[in-house]
């Protein structure tokens, strides 16, 4: 080192620092070293994140049973009738279809998103029995909590329960009642039954307004009195009979007790009588309930039992006739396909109902009727070329498909899942679900897409059979028709008339400057709507136009060889015009004096 020019000190003094370090380490006892190892770590100066936020997109993840909770607003409160079958399958095969999960903002646990509470309960049971890890840790699809999370989750559970094991009537009723509360919290106002049905359908759980009415009655008047019966599976037919009995008895009670001062009101009387029958569903009898109720009413009203029973029976039968829908297998008026005629069985005096003489004739609800037409001649025997012939050949199948496609103007979008839910709900409610493929060659179904898809020009659903709902649909069809001519902005929805007006005040006096199809569409829609305004409309530039100049080219086209397609409505708009006219005719019928029948049939 000296040869390289470095002056390296020697001796004890040069090595002192190293010796001091060794001496210091030698002085540390095991306790001192343990204390240093256990000393607090350095503190971070920045923020610390306790947990990661939830994913913002659908993400597969693995969760344990400890991290997962059932959906607390699940409409199913009784045991799934397929519980044992599902448990046996999961025990043998594992969980083939894990439920989707989600999490409310700020909540520590995940919850089932839509359908799957039964599977979760089975997994907990199997884990308790077997301690098998495959029942404790499951791979699920996490889906973010949406903006309208509670409503989407509840309607999703309603729909999934219908697909994987039907709910009882009262469970479905309570689920829809909870949905009503959530919708009212969302909108800040009370909802009508029709609006509730519309919102449920828009969120993936289609249901008609009359069923909403029955369900609300079941929750308000029946559940407090007979919870055991309802949770035990009392079905829709029995609930409808009880509801009809309560309404008929209420009317008779109000009419007969108007001049009396009674210590008991009818709601309390009905509740007390019905409570007596809350027990075994196998022994439940509507006739026994009616007998007990009429007996108490006769005593309190000081009326004759037999006359009271007859009066209540007539009122109940009349209500059922007005609110019922024709059987889907019954022949429709004016149907283009004649049903086979079979002579009715001879009626004996014993089979004649006791109210047949005094009961007034009741007409069937108008929406189910078809336009009158002469009775068609007897249909010939089926041939291989006929669409209904039992021919499985590819040629016959292709011919049927071609004929069906010929009736589709513009496809109405749908999904197999939505159709399955609609069929299950219709089956549970006893509805006849219109089927385009079944009726396409029999009635007047012409399919056309749009905001309100058309699958049958003539049929009017019960939930649509109300003036306010009809006006909404009429205005929308008018707007879509005018859109083809570039005039959609001139259609104004109104709450009277037939639901819309043509806002043509901005047009110049020379309306002839408009294209032919625009002038024809506005003239037609103006003519359809202006005549039903309660006050005289202000004269417009279109008042001097003649429908004879525009109606033919608009509906049929022109004969000049090249402009037929450019000057007429498309097939889709033509179908919507037919539908608009059908709904407008029904609207005017309702407002002309048949509101009582309609209100009974649509809001029983």
């Amino acid at each position: 080192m000296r040869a390289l020019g470095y002056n390296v000190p020697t001796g004890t003094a040069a090595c002192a620092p190293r010796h001091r370090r060794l001496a210091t380490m030698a002085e540390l006892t095991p306790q001192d070293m343990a204390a240093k190892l256990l000393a607090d770590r350095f503190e971070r100066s920045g923020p610390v994140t306790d947990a990661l936020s939830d994913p913002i997109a659908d993400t597969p993840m693995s969760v344990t049973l400890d991290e997962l909770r059932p959906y607390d607003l699940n409409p199913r409160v009784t045991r799934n009738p397929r519980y044992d079958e599902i448990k046996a399958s999961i025990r043998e095969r594992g969980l083939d279809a894990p439920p989707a999960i989600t999490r409310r903002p700020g909540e520590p646990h995940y919850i089932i998103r839509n359908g799957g509470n039964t599977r979760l309960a089975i997994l907990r049971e199997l884990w308790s029995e077997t301690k098998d890890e495959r029942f404790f840790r499951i791979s699920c699809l996490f889906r973010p909590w949406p903006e309208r999370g509670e409503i989407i989750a509840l309607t999703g559970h309603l729909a999934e329960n219908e697909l994987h094991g039907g709910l009882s009537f009262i469970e479905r009723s309570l689920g829809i009642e909870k949905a009503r509360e959530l919708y009212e919290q969302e909108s800040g106002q009370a909802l009508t039954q029709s609006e509730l049905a519309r919102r449920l359908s828009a969120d993936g759980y289609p249901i008609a307004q009359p069923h909403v009415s029955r369900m609300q009655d079941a929750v308000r008047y029946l559940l407090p009195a007979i919870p055991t019966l309802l949770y035990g599976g009392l079905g829709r037919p029995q609930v409808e009979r009880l509801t009809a009995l309560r309404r008929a008895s209420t009317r008779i009670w109000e009419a007969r007790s108007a001049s009396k001062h009674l210590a008991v009101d009818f709601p309390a009387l009905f509740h007390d009588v019905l409570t007596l029958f809350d027990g075994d569903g196998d022994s439940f009898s509507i006739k026994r309930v009616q007998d007990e109720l009429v007996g108490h009413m006769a005593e309190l009203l000081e009326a004759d039992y037999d006359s009271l029973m007859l009066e209540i029976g007539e009122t109940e039968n009349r209500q059922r006739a007005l609110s019922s829908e024709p059987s889907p297998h019954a022949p429709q008026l004016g149907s283009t396909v004649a049903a086979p005629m079979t002579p009715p069985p001879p009626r004996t005096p014993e089979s004649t109902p006791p109210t047949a003489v005094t009961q007034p004739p009741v007409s069937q609800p108008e929406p189910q009727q078809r336009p009158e037409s002469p009775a068609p001649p007897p249909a010939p025997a089926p041939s291989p070329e006929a669409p209904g012939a039992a021919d499985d050949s590819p040629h016959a199948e292709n011919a049927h498909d071609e004929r069906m496609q010929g009736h589709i103007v513009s496809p109405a979008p749908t999904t197999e899942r939505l159709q399955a839910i609609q069929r299950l709900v219709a089956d549970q409610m006893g509805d006849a679900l219109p089927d385009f493929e079944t009726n396409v060659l029999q009635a007047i179904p012409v399919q056309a897409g749009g905001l309100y898809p058309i699958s049958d020009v003539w049929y009017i659903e019960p939930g649509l059979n109300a003036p306010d709902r009809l006006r909404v649909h009429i205005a929308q069809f008018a707007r879509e028709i005018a859109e083809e001519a570039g005039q959609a902005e001139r259609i104004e929805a109104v709450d009277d008339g037939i639901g819309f007006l043509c806002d043509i005040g901005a047009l110049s006096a020379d309306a002839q400057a408009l294209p032919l199809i625009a002038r024809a569409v506005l003239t037609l829609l103006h003519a359809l709507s202006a005549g039903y305004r309660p006050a005289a409309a202000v004269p417009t530039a279109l008042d001097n136009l003649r429908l004879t100049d525009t109606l033919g080219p608009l509906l049929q086209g022109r004969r000049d060889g090249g402009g037929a397609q450019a000057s007429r409505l498309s097939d889709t708009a033509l179908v919507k015009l037919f539908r608009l006219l059908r709904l407008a005719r029904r609207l005017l019928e309702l407002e002309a004096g048949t509101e009582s029948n309609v209100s009974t049939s649509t809001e029983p």
Side-chain angles (χ1 to χ4, degrees):
M1 297 292 287
R2 292 179 185 274
L4 294 175
Y6 292 101
N7 186 15
V8 179
T10 60
T12 305
C15 300
R18 181 170 178 269
H19 286 294
R20 280 198 298 270
R21 289 198 300 272
L22 292 175
T24 302
M25 292 180 62
E27 293 173 359
L28 290 177
T29 65
Q31 291 78 10
D32 294 336
M33 295 182 66
K36 289 183 176 294
L37 291 173
L38 296 176
D40 292 338
R41 64 180 183 272
F42 292 106
E43 298 293 334
R44 293 179 179 271
S45 59
V48 178
T49 302
D50 294 332
L52 295 176
S53 61
D54 289 333
I56 61 174
D58 293 358
T59 305
M61 63 171 54
S62 178
V63 296
T64 65
L65 295 182
D66 294 338
E67 300 174 295
L68 194 55
R69 295 289 184 271
Y71 179 58
D72 49 353
L73 298 181
N74 184 33
R76 184 187 297 283
V77 295
T78 58
R79 181 184 175 91
N80 190 321
R82 299 180 54 203
Y83 188 94
D84 294 333
E85 176 186 345
I86 298 173
K87 181 178 179 180
S89 174
I90 294 178
R91 183 193 298 273
E92 297 298 327
R93 299 170 50 85
L95 193 61
D96 287 338
I101 62 174
T102 187
R103 180 156 58 182
R104 295 185 179 98
E107 291 287 330
H109 296 98
Y110 299 101
I111 60 174
I112 302 296
R113 186 177 185 273
N114 54 344
N117 284 344
T118 296
R119 283 169 283 173
L120 178 59
I122 290 173
L123 287 172
R124 293 187 184 281
E125 197 170 296
L126 290 173
W127 164 248
S128 176
E129 295 172 358
T130 66
K131 298 302 180 182
D132 190 334
E133 183 70 15
R134 65 193 177 112
F135 301 134
F136 179 72
R137 185 178 301 276
I138 56 177
S139 298
C140 298
L141 178 66
F142 175 85
R143 307 193 70 177
W145 185 259
E147 182 180 355
R148 303 171 63 241
E150 293 294 352
I151 294 176
I152 298 301
L154 179 57
T155 53
H157 278 271
L158 281 168
E160 286 295 328
N161 278 306
E162 292 290 354
L163 286 173
H164 299 103
L167 298 170
S168 67
F169 188 89
I170 193 61
E171 287 174 330
R172 191 181 300 108
S173 302
L174 289 170
I176 289 178
E177 187 67 12
K178 184 61 181 180
R180 180 187 61 80
E181 295 177 9
L182 295 177
Y183 282 127
E184 290 181 350
Q185 291 175 8
E186 181 184 49
S187 62
Q189 60 183 4
L191 298 182
T192 63
Q193 295 173 359
S194 299
E195 180 63 17
L196 175 58
R198 187 192 68 79
R199 295 197 181 197
L200 285 168
S201 300
D203 285 331
Y205 188 71
I207 189 171
Q209 177 274 325
H211 300 318
V212 175
S213 175
R214 298 186 190 105
M215 290 176 174
Q216 289 184 350
D217 281 357
V219 172
R220 294 174 184 174
Y221 303 112
L222 304 186
L223 182 58
I226 51 172
T228 304
L229 270 175
L230 288 170
Y231 284 119
L234 194 69
R236 182 183 63 87
Q238 292 87 350
V239 171
E240 288 183 352
R241 287 286 308 278
L242 286 174
T243 300
L245 174 62
R246 183 192 65 81
R247 290 176 176 170
S249 303
T250 300
R251 294 186 180 183
I252 304 304
W253 177 276
E254 292 175 351
R256 289 183 175 248
S257 64
S259 59
K260 300 178 183 292
H261 298 283
L262 302 175
V264 180
D265 60 356
F266 183 79
L269 173 63
F270 182 79
H271 177 274
D272 293 342
V273 170
L274 197 56
T275 303
L276 300 174
F277 299 89
D278 188 28
D280 185 13
D282 295 335
S283 60
F284 179 72
S285 171
I286 302 290
K287 291 184 178 180
R288 290 179 56 200
V289 176
Q290 184 175 9
D291 177 71
E292 189 73 20
L293 179 63
V294 173
H296 282 78
M297 291 177 62
E299 181 179 353
L300 293 171
L301 296 173
E302 299 178 352
D304 178 68
Y305 173 91
D306 293 331
S307 64
L308 201 60
M309 178 70 79
L310 182 62
E311 190 174 355
I312 291 176
E314 289 181 355
T315 305
E316 184 181 354
N317 291 338
R318 187 178 302 112
Q319 287 180 352
R320 270 206 306 268
L322 290 173
S323 61
S324 64
E325 300 177 5
S327 168
H329 303 292
Q332 302 287 340
L333 288 179
S335 174
T336 58
V337 175
M341 298 297 293
T342 57
R347 183 181 291 253
T348 61
E350 291 77 6
S351 64
T352 305
T355 60
V357 178
T358 57
Q359 181 176 343
V362 179
S363 61
Q364 292 295 332
E366 176 66 16
Q368 303 293 338
Q369 295 181 354
R370 303 288 184 184
E372 296 182 1
S373 62
S383 64
E385 291 78 12
D391 187 354
D392 296 332
S393 65
H395 175 74
E397 183 177 352
N398 292 338
H400 178 272
D401 291 343
E402 290 176 2
R403 293 193 62 181
M404 186 178 71
Q405 290 299 323
H407 286 72
I408 298 178
V409 175
S410 58
T414 185
T415 63
E416 292 184 3
R417 174 185 173 82
L418 178 59
Q419 291 176 344
I421 293 174
Q422 289 174 333
R423 284 193 297 269
L424 286 168
V425 173
D427 291 341
Q428 291 288 333
M429 299 299 181
D431 283 349
L433 187 65
D435 184 7
F436 175 76
E437 292 191 12
T438 301
N439 299 329
V440 64
L441 302 178
Q442 299 179 11
I444 325 174
V446 179
Q447 191 175 114
L451 181 60
Y452 301 118
I454 302 169
S455 59
D456 192 319
V457 174
W458 197 257
Y459 178 81
I460 297 177
E461 300 81 4
L464 179 58
N465 196 28
D468 57 337
R469 296 294 301 142
L470 289 169
R471 286 191 175 94
V472 171
H473 282 241
I474 291 170
Q476 180 61 30
F477 287 135
R479 189 176 296 109
E480 292 177 7
I481 293 170
E483 187 175 10
E484 283 204 354
Q487 305 296 320
E489 72 279 358
R490 302 195 185 279
I491 302 301
E492 176 186 358
V494 294
D495 295 330
D496 52 14
I498 63 170
F500 73 93
L501 279 178
C502 286
D503 183 15
I504 50 181
L507 286 175
S508 63
D510 186 12
Q512 296 291 340
L514 290 173
L516 174 61
I517 188 170
R519 189 167 71 250
V521 167
L522 290 178
T523 303
L524 176 60
L525 294 178
H526 177 66
L528 292 176
S529 62
Y532 299 101
R533 295 285 291 161
V538 178
T540 67
L542 289 179
D543 287 340
N544 295 327
L545 297 180
R546 298 171 51 196
L547 279 177
T548 52
D549 296 334
T550 58
L551 190 60
L554 177 66
L555 300 181
Q556 301 166 171
R558 293 190 297 184
R559 295 185 60 184
D560 55 9
Q565 300 298 330
S567 64
R568 74 178 188 182
L569 289 176
S570 69
D571 292 341
T572 298
L574 187 62
V575 172
K576 293 174 181 177
L577 177 62
F578 291 156
R579 183 63 171 171
L580 183 155
L581 294 173
R582 167 61 176 149
L583 298 184
R585 288 162 63 94
R586 183 57 183 162
L587 171 64
L588 298 176
E589 290 170 0
L590 295 182
E591 296 191 333
T594 58
E595 292 86 356
S596 59
N597 289 349
V598 173
S599 63
T600 305
S601 63
T602 58
E603 299 220 12

